[in-house]
Amino acid sequence: MITWANPDTLSSWKKLLSLKGMVSVAEELSSADAAKRIKDYSVPMAEGLTYNYAAKQVNEQILKTLSELAEESQLLEKFEALYNGEVVNTGEKRMVLHQLTRGQLGKDVVADGVNKREFYLNEQKKIADFADKVHSGKLVNEKGEKYTQVCQIGIGGSDLGPRAMYLALENWAKANGTFKMEAHFISNVDPDDGAAVVASLDLAHTIFVLVSKSGTTLETLTNESFVKDFIKKAGLDVSKHMIAVTSETSPLAHNPDYMQAFYMDDYIGGRYSSCSGVGGAVLSLAFGPKVFADFLDGAAAEDKTALNKDIRKNPALLDALIGIYERNVQEYPATAILPYSQALSRFPAHLQQLDMESNGKSVNRAGEKIDYVTGPVIFGEPGTNGQHSFYQLLHQGTDVVPLQFIAFQQNQTGKDVVIEDSTSQTKLCANVVAQIVAFACGKKDADPNKSFAGNRPSSLIYGKQLTPKTLGALLAHFENKVMFQGFVWNINSFDQEGVQLGKKLAKAVLSNNMEPALKEYASLLIK
């Protein structure tokens, strides 16, 4: 039987708290046994990826205690309950089924008389058929011409994930002959965003993908009207240029302004929706259905690794537990995501929402105030740009910030040049290696300004190349990591009430139904 309990009531948690400051990675990676540690502290992921945690502040005793915490917290049992369709999202009284969009880990999940795996597969097939018709020219615009561009209109999880995935695969698709349509994204309700994007489009040959589960999201519907106005002024038929990704009960579902609607449901949270039609429509149009299917296969393969009861063979669970140790025992306030791949330029922004919207909670699943910290601040940028930006604070600042490096042995385009006896890709990888060691080992200097304390912990996820399958595996790893951490903290990682308050107050301002403080601030900006 599963018991949902605060971690500070568990004996393994109390034991873990006694292990603060036990390991110096500066000593570990400076020792004669460093090579053995780097080899041993490594876990295979799906699709040829590897999670290496040799530069983390852990040892065998800490790992043993983390394993005890996983068992006492019933993390694998809670994951099983989730993928078998139990109502894990207690805040909204919903199942949590994003893993089911890419594969079935357990028994059939049926809701309202519908097999949900079959539902997701059917929607994926509908999207694939639509994309194939667009690419083949069977579906054309009002002038009988092929569409060449796609533009997604959405916000939050309807933008960050799909945009990050598109950018991650754009160069790969061009290099591998699967690039079909250029994609653009409109998310901000700021009209300058929409105007700039629309100005860059060939409207007559563009399909707009409007993404809103409820069909009532204010920012998205505002941008819908904004885009429709441009389409009409260009003398075009709106219904030949718009599709919707929404729920079956949404006002967008049977709207004559849309040539087709693809469906999602309440069991897929926005920040977990890249593997649903939210990501599927734009990625299938941009790169073809086969690329999106490969992306799903990579995510499904990584999900299977999250079933392993041995934390040393379960990369997402191990990453999550080490993160718990860093946040709750070492008391580190943040985590930096550092992809050494320009293709992952927006991946940290997606993970920022995934993690902080999920685990930024201060009450447990029963609504009771908790006495321990939860999710860290997530931020990051691609290397090597970050090295010339915030790495100064990471190396010599007063706060220790754990780091998660992501790197690949090969680039996506196959294009490179040799300068000073090495290629750009080799230089990129050399910087990753150098930074891990520099953060861990530091450097003593007589000049305090040039002294580096070291003992800054980091992990490394690496592989041969960023492809659709490795991208899917990478995404699933972080989704599962966030899930496991929420289970440990006994919080609901699948609602986001903190997002709703600002929306409600914005509507109050627009309706002029305001309290004095709102009215005074409104007078400063709204004329």
Side-chain angles (χ1 to χ4, degrees):
M1 180 179 177
I2 292 176
T3 302
W4 296 92
N6 288 0
D8 54 6
T9 65
L10 306 178
S11 59
S12 54
W13 178 268
K14 295 167 186 174
K15 186 188 297 185
L16 190 66
L17 293 179
S18 71
L19 304 179
K20 182 174 183 177
M22 190 176 193
V23 176
S24 166
V25 288
E27 294 177 4
E28 294 290 345
L29 293 188
S30 299
S31 74
D33 293 328
K36 183 177 186 302
R37 179 182 172 92
I38 293 168
K39 181 179 179 180
D40 291 347
Y41 280 25
S42 193
V43 185
M45 297 170 61
E47 307 301 343
L49 294 174
T50 299
Y51 171 70
N52 187 284
Y53 57 102
K56 287 292 191 180
Q57 294 166 322
V58 296
N59 59 12
E60 294 304 310
Q61 184 177 351
I62 292 171
L63 291 170
K64 181 176 181 295
T65 307
L66 290 175
S67 182
E68 292 170 2
L69 177 62
E71 185 174 352
E72 194 174 6
S73 299
Q74 300 176 292
L75 300 187
L76 272 298
E77 291 88 344
K78 288 169 182 174
F79 183 29
E80 183 179 8
L82 181 149
Y83 63 69
N84 280 329
E86 291 193 22
V87 178
V88 175
N89 179 353
T90 52
E92 296 170 324
K93 297 179 175 59
R94 293 172 181 168
M95 299 182 291
V96 176
L97 301 182
H98 55 275
Q99 284 97 349
L100 200 59
T101 62
R102 55 214 188 208
Q104 188 162 338
L105 295 170
K107 62 186 181 183
D108 286 346
V109 177
V110 178
D112 302 320
V114 176
N115 182 300
K116 299 311 294 184
R117 176 61 181 155
E118 291 178 3
F119 171 77
Y120 299 140
L121 282 172
N122 184 55
E123 291 305 309
Q124 184 185 342
K125 184 179 184 303
K126 282 169 56 181
I127 290 170
D129 290 344
F130 178 83
D132 284 339
K133 288 177 183 177
V134 170
H135 298 151
S136 67
K138 289 182 181 178
L139 188 64
V140 292
N141 68 6
E142 57 269 78
K143 295 181 180 179
E145 300 165 337
K146 289 182 70 173
Y147 298 99
T148 59
Q149 294 177 306
V150 56
C151 180
Q152 180 132 318
I153 304 172
I155 197 164
S158 299
D159 171 77
L160 287 164
R163 189 193 295 247
M165 303 309 128
Y166 171 78
L167 292 173
L169 296 178
E170 183 178 16
N171 280 333
W172 181 91
K174 289 176 179 177
N176 287 273
T178 67
F179 188 80
K180 308 290 185 182
M181 301 171 72
E182 185 178 54
H184 299 261
F185 298 84
I186 298 174
S187 62
N188 200 329
V189 75
D190 183 344
D192 287 344
D193 181 28
V197 173
V198 170
S200 71
L201 298 173
D202 177 0
L203 285 178
H205 302 95
T206 298
I207 294 175
F208 290 89
V209 184
L210 189 89
V211 182
S212 174
K213 182 161 49 179
S214 66
T216 60
T217 307
L218 179 63
E219 297 96 332
T220 301
L221 294 185
T222 300
N223 280 329
E224 175 202 30
S225 297
F226 190 82
V227 166
K228 280 183 176 178
D229 187 55
F230 275 95
I231 294 172
K232 291 173 183 176
K233 286 179 178 177
L236 302 171
D237 181 353
V238 168
S239 68
K240 290 287 188 179
H241 293 275
M242 301 196 82
I243 63 174
V245 178
T246 189
S247 67
E248 291 181 277
T249 57
S250 151
L252 304 176
H254 305 285
N255 190 314
D257 284 347
Y258 294 86
M259 52 181 152
Q260 193 156 346
F262 304 105
Y263 299 127
M264 57 193 297
D265 57 37
D266 285 337
Y267 310 122
I268 310 295
R271 57 195 177 277
Y272 296 96
S273 65
S274 291
C275 292
S276 73
V278 174
V282 67
L283 295 179
S284 295
L285 286 167
F287 308 131
K290 174 65 166 59
V291 170
F292 182 63
D294 285 347
F295 168 71
L296 295 183
D297 287 346
E302 187 63 28
D303 283 339
K304 290 178 182 177
T305 70
L307 302 176
N308 202 307
K309 293 182 179 180
D310 183 352
I311 71 167
R312 305 286 285 266
K313 297 178 181 178
N314 186 328
L317 180 56
L318 180 59
D319 196 2
L321 290 166
I322 293 173
I324 293 286
Y325 176 76
E326 290 174 334
R327 184 75 178 109
N328 296 98
V329 182
Q330 297 292 86
E331 301 180 277
Y332 298 146
T335 297
I337 310 295
L338 309 172
Y340 276 65
S341 167
Q342 188 60 29
L344 293 175
S345 60
R346 292 297 289 168
F347 197 63
H350 170 60
L351 296 187
Q352 190 173 62
Q353 184 199 16
L354 172 67
D355 201 313
M356 295 172 71
E357 195 168 88
S358 295
N359 290 341
K361 308 290 172 63
S362 57
V363 298
N364 67 12
R365 292 167 56 82
E368 302 162 338
K369 184 74 175 175
I370 54 180
D371 296 323
Y372 45 87
V373 295
T374 57
V377 172
I378 303 294
F379 69 97
E381 283 288 330
T384 56
N385 282 6
Q387 293 176 200
H388 295 268
S389 175
F390 52 81
Y391 277 38
Q392 169 60 45
L393 183 147
L394 299 182
H395 275 294
Q396 293 183 305
T398 53
D399 279 317
V400 173
V401 177
L403 320 160
Q404 291 200 301
F405 290 93
I406 304 169
F408 301 93
Q409 295 160 349
Q410 299 176 2
N411 64 19
Q412 292 182 309
T413 64
K415 297 177 181 178
D416 209 338
V417 61
V418 175
I419 299 176
E420 295 181 1
D421 301 322
S422 64
T423 65
S424 297
Q425 184 66 27
T426 301
K427 291 179 174 64
L428 183 69
C429 291
N431 272 275
V432 179
V433 173
Q435 289 296 332
I436 292 172
V437 174
F439 278 117
C441 299
K443 182 178 76 74
K444 293 180 180 179
D445 195 287
D447 182 350
N449 194 52
K450 296 180 180 180
S451 184
F452 295 75
N455 207 27
R456 263 66 170 168
S458 68
S459 65
L460 170 65
I461 294 176
Y462 67 95
K464 185 177 181 181
Q465 188 185 54
L466 183 61
T467 67
K469 287 189 175 183
T470 56
L471 179 64
L474 195 62
L475 176 70
H477 172 88
F478 284 101
E479 287 181 349
N480 293 332
K481 172 190 175 180
V482 168
M483 172 194 69
F484 282 131
Q485 289 185 330
F487 287 164
V488 173
W489 287 318
N490 192 30
I491 57 177
N492 181 11
S493 299
F494 305 106
D495 66 5
Q496 55 284 329
E497 291 302 321
V499 178
Q500 305 305 324
L501 178 59
K503 290 182 180 180
K504 292 176 181 177
L505 291 179
K507 289 181 179 179
V509 172
L510 292 171
S511 65
N512 203 32
N513 182 24
M514 294 176 276
E515 297 296 326
L518 272 180
K519 186 171 289 187
E520 188 62 28
Y521 274 113
S523 70
L524 302 177
L525 290 170
I526 300 174
K527 304 297 182 184

